[in-house]
Structures are given as C-alpha cells and as structure tokens.
Amino acid sequence: MSAITTDLIVNGLARPPKPGRRRTVRCAGIVCALLGLCGGDAALAQTQPAPRRPAPASPSTGIRGFADFGSTTFTAGKSFEAVLGTRTGTIFGGGVEVLLPQRIFVSLRASRFQQQGERVFIFEDQTFDLGIATTVRVTPVEVTAGYRFGPRRWRLVPYAGGGIGWHRFEETSDFAGGDENVDETRRGYHLVAGADVRLARWFGVGGEAQWSTVPDALGEDPNSASAAFDETDLGGVTFRVKFIIGL
Amino acid sequence: MDTFTGARAKAVALSAASALWLATAAAQDGGIAAPYRTMLSQVTAPAIDRGPRDNDAPGPARTSRDRRITRSGNADRPYLSGSVIVKFRPGTSPGAQRAMLALVDGAGTPHLPYADFEIVAIDDDADPEAVARKLSTQPDVAYAQARHLVYPMFVPNDPMYSRQWNYPAIDMERAWDIHRARATDVVVAVLDSGVAYRSALLSFGTVAWGFDAITIFPSLGSIIVPFAAAPDLGGTERFVAPRDFIWNDTLPLDLDGHGTHVTGTIAQTTNNNLGGAGMASNVRIMPVKVIPGYWDQIFGAPFDGTDDVVARGIRYAVDNGAKVINMSIGGPGSAPVVQSAVVYAVSHGVFVVVAAGNGFDLGNPAEGLAEFAPEIDGMVAVGAVGRDLQRAQYSTTGPHVELAAPGGDASRGGTPAGILQQTFDSDMVETYAFGPSRYEAPRFDVFAYEFLQGTSMAAPHVSGFAALLMQQGITDPAAIEAVMKRYATDLGVAGRDGEYGYGLINPRAALRGMGLAK
C-alpha cells in the first residue's frame, strides 16, 4: 500500500493541484499512453512543469494483478483454418505479476482460446467439411521473467521478457469415442514485449506482443489436419491488451 | 429338403450351365432385336418374403470360367464372335475408317447411344482378339478390343441384422451413428443383372436349350412371369432413371437375383423392423442392367453382357445423375472401352467401384474390368475378406487390388460366413437346377434372405461407403478414394499389398474425418 502511494506521489498525481489542471494532466496522459507516444514522465514534465519535491526511493518489490484479451494467430495456421475456419482467434487471460528489484519482473499468466468448427477431410488443396462439430480449446499457463525499461515511477514502462509455458490442448467432437478426444499438455516457450501505462492510482493498461512456440504439440496423429499440413507447432503470435490492477 | 432339391443339385446344374448354349441365337451384332417380352400388367400381387435360407450349402464363387454362354454357340470363348469394339481417333474421316476396317474385312454397324466407340462387324470365324490387335496398330485407332463377356461375381449359398456380421466387422454401427438421416440426393447406379425394383407381369417367349448341343430343357412356350419389388429395398420412389441395356428398354428387371442382392448391401432399408441392413439406406438407386441372367438368355434377350454394354451403361449412369457406380462384375482381357468410360465417369465427378475378381483358385487371372483401377484416381477395385477378416480364398490378388471389404467366405465358417441380403428365393428362379422334370417358369416375386459370397458382395460395401462420403460432403472422386485408403485398416503384410490393397475399409473413421490434432 505504501509503495503505491509513494509512487503516485512521486509522479505528482497525488498532489492536490487546482481541480481543473489535474483533469487536464490526466487526460493528456491517457492520450499519450494510448498513442504510445509518451516517453515516461518526460511528457508529464512538459505538461506539468511545476517543480517537484525530492523523489523518495521506489520500493524494491510490488505485486499486481492483470486481466487481458487479445488475438492469437497460430503458427499452425492452415490446420486451424481448415478445422475452425480461421487461423486467428480471441484469447482471454489473466494473472499476477511480481515486480522485483533491479527492474526485474516475474509474471504468471493463464489464458484461454476456444473456438468451434467442424471436422474435415483434406485432400491435396481441398478441404471438405464433414459437418461434425468440434471444439478446440487451448489453455496456456505461462511463467515469464523479464526486464522493465524504466523505474516504477514512470507512467509508461516498456518491458520485454521470455519464459516457459504449459499449453493444454483440448479437442472434443461429436461422436467421439473414449480415446478420440484430445486432452494433452505440452511445454512451450515464449518471448514477450510490451509497455504498461498507469492511468490511475490502482489501474493501468498495457499493450503486449508475444511470440510462442510449442514444438511437437500437433501433427502426431497421421489422420489429423495438422499432419496433413505438416504443422506441429501449437504456438503463435499474440497481441493483447492488459488491464492492470494494483501498483 | 429332398435329395435333388439340395445344393448339390444346384451346383451340378449351375456347373452345367457354365457350358450352356442356347438353341436359338440372336446375334448381338449391333442391331437391336425386337424384345420378346410383353408387359401385361404394371401391378401384381404383393411380393412373398420367405425369410432366411440358411441351410443350403455354399457353392463356388462365380468366375469367368463359369460363364461361357453366347448366342452364337462359341461356348468356350470369353468374348463374342463376329464383332469387335473400335475407337477411332477424333477427326478420322469416314473414308479412312472404312479403309482401316477393310484391312480386317470389317464393316461398321449403326452407332449406339451412350457409346463413344463403334461396333465393327467381322467374320464370325475371325478371331476377335487378333482382329483387335491388328486394328490397334493403325494410327487412327485409339483402341480396339474384343467384346469380352462380363459376369457377376458371386455365388449363392444360403442363410437379418444379427446375421450380417459384415457390418460390425467394418464398424458400421458407429458409422451409422454419424450418418443417420442425412440427405438422400446421392444416386448410386448399380450396373448389374437388374434390380427387383418394381412389380410387373410380363409374358416371355422361351426357347429349348441344353448342354453340349443336346437339348435338355424344352421350350416352355409363351409364359407369364410375375415380378415384384424386393420388400426390403423400400418404395419405388427410391429408384431413378432405370435402364436395361440387355433388353434395350427402361425396364431393368432382375431375372437373376445378383443385382438385387448387391443393391441390398448398398441400400437395404435399415432400422425399419424388416429384414437386414444396408450400407447407405437413404440413397437412391439407378438400376442399370448390363449383364443377363440365365432367364434373360432363355427368354431371348437381344443383348449380352459385354464390355461395350458395360461402357454404355457407365456413360448412361453418368449422364443421368449417378454419383457412384457399382460394378460387381468382371471379365477377362483388357477393356479399354470400359476404362475410357470410367475416365469419363470420374471426370464428371462419379466414383466407380469394381469387384477385384473371384479367380484366385483358378490361376488368379487378371480381371479386365479391374486391372486399370489403380491408374484412375476415383475408381477402386475391391477384394473380399471372410468373417475372420482374412482374404477370402477365391478373392483375386494382384496390384489392381486397392481395398478390401467383406465378401464372405464359406470355406471358413460355412454358409453363415457369406453375406446376407434379400433377393429372390432361388428355388423359384433356378428351376433348371432341379432337372428337366421340374423345370418350369420362374417367379420373380418370391424373396428370401440368402447368403452369397464373392468380390461382388465386397464391392457394394465400398459403393455404399462412397455414397455416405458423398453425403458427408466429399464430392471429388479422387478425394473419396484417398479418404478410403487413408483410413483403411491395414491387413496382411504391412502397407499396401496384393491381397488387401491398402486394407479393410473403415467407414466410421473416414466419415469422422480429421480433427486438428486427431
């Protein structure tokens, strides 16, 4: 609690300025953040030239939660497109992030992609829909460690990192026998880069891009769409928006 | 059953029929003889269903050696004498055609419908195979061949769903779960001996006939013969565009039972508290008669079952909306005329199934109608397995075999190891099997469930399977062949082999298709 309060004070937002000015400053900060044009408190400095009090030291640790949504384009695009009609889908998730000293952070995220399609037969360049409903669900649980390119007092902080994930792949379909549905978890790896923008005392937003690879998660069954297209990687590229609560 | 009405008597008579000749011949030389049959009534009494016949001993599978019936008496030849099939290359002038035909003392005959080839009359004493070879060397001849006689590929043995082991053997119960109540717009053409698809009362003239030039069976004079639709095939609305190339009309009534049995395996009504089941019980059937039964010949049908008739039947089926063609027939010698027709069919989106042959025990000869199947994506040749899922002892082997399906094998499991379907009660049809004293007019309105075996019985499993895939949305014949092979259950030597091809069909797995990962 104290850490958050301290940080806000350092950035001047907790200072009781004239009511009208405070609103102006906040709106400018939001616009800058969304456009991605801001460069931390430099922008703030331009719009808020008032002299600062001496900055107390930032706390060395913090924890915050986040929820996110985004769009994933799967590496196994032909397979996803054949069965689900698209190689891109919406993904929802959430997690916690721990801020450590030296601008290091560690996060734990769980997310979910789910979409319905139908089973197919693939012959040469033709895909025949068979009218048998199928549901594909991908649930990655990912641990990410990374570096934040700015002190916590900055309003907008870029970051980058990488990590390991456990990707649960489920595929269920009508008329499936006992062993014909799929429920497997495979390990994968990912790289991530993005930026957080604090919008209020307890709330911020962020934008993030992630590339992940989950090798050999698909294509094992010779009678699968992924085998037909020789696609084995369950990873992909995800662009997401984060909503951060805390810090 | 008395001693003479049993299977032995049938076997003797049927074997003898392999050398049957007809005393009155009508040469099949391209002209269309006036059919000697008259429709007396479109309506007859209801069909009689005599239930299963499971006490008759099995007999041998039908092969080319069984059937040496020709109108011109050349009983030992597998082709018609007096004519050959010739396909001239496009643009060949009539004069050039005449010049080439003069080389073999041949003469053209009137062009037949559903034929992109010509029937050329040659001397009766000339060897059609030699004439065809000579014509084939001419630059303006695409192909020339003898008019090989084709024949059905089954054998009647004797005796509903619990007895139809063939469906559980290929996991059809789970396949039907997937496919229940699908649309009924797929038409399967059954090129066979006809189908018991309607009722009728016809009068026929008969001839005396016998064995080895000795008349055994007298003429029955003019007789009235009742026909009825097989009760378990459903209503007449299931049948579309019927065509008879043996009588050259639109009344392809089955005078044998083979075509009706085959049709039952493809499309017997299912889950209707009656009889047995069929692979694709909601498809529509196009009966196309291209092979005669013995009674067709006794009644003097104007055409025999030859390659050119089969080729015309294929083209007719394609031009009239068939999507699958079942050919539970076979014949000796190469048949480019049929191959050309099959290419035409596949190019029009029609999947073609042919029986691989029953001649393994007879030297395993090549099957003229099946040997080119591997060359055509969209046509498969089907071998047979018995109830133990081992190759049926009669099933021909070789590189032409692409898939296997249940065909029955009474040598391992007796009569119940055959394929059970409704067809005519053989006692009412094969009256010649009981000797001259009991030889009488047949009835084609009395039905029974009979166990038959042969690659003839295997092929309709694949045709029904193809129809289900068509209904499922796989409309490209080459894709149908690919899905069948991909999901086939490998049998015998690992990988493709000459006994089972790519293996035993697995309709359930194929119909379920591919998921993303499994």
Side-chain angles (χ1 to χ4, degrees), chain A residues 80 83 119-123 126 128-130 132 169 171 173 175-177 179-180 182 218 221-226, chain B residues 174 177-179 182 472-476 478-480 482-483 486-487 508 510-518:
Chain A
F80 276 79
V83 175
R119 296 179 70 84
V120 297
F121 180 68
I122 296 159
F123 174 67
Q126 300 177 84
F128 299 94
D129 296 335
L130 301 182
I132 300 174
F169 178 87
E171 183 174 11
S173 58
F175 312 114
D179 61 346
E180 292 177 328
V182 182
L218 300 172
D221 189 319
N223 294 320
S224 63
S226 50
Chain B
R174 292 203 301 162
D177 281 344
I178 293 175
H179 224 282
R182 289 276 179 142
Q472 189 91 352
I474 305 177
T475 52
D476 180 338
I480 290 176
V483 71
R486 171 181 284 273
Y487 290 99
R508 193 266 175 181
L511 290 169
R512 192 164 174 274
M514 297 173 168
L516 208 158
K518 196 168 187 177

Side-chain angles (χ1 to χ4, degrees), chain B residues 329-342:
Chain B
I329 54 180
S334 63
V337 68
V338 177
Q339 184 171 359
S340 173
V342 171

Side-chain angles (χ1 to χ4, degrees), chain A residues 138-153:
Chain A
V138 182
T139 311
V141 176
E142 298 165 304
V143 176
T144 304
Y147 182 78
R148 296 169 62 84
F149 299 96
R152 296 176 60 193
R153 63 177 181 276

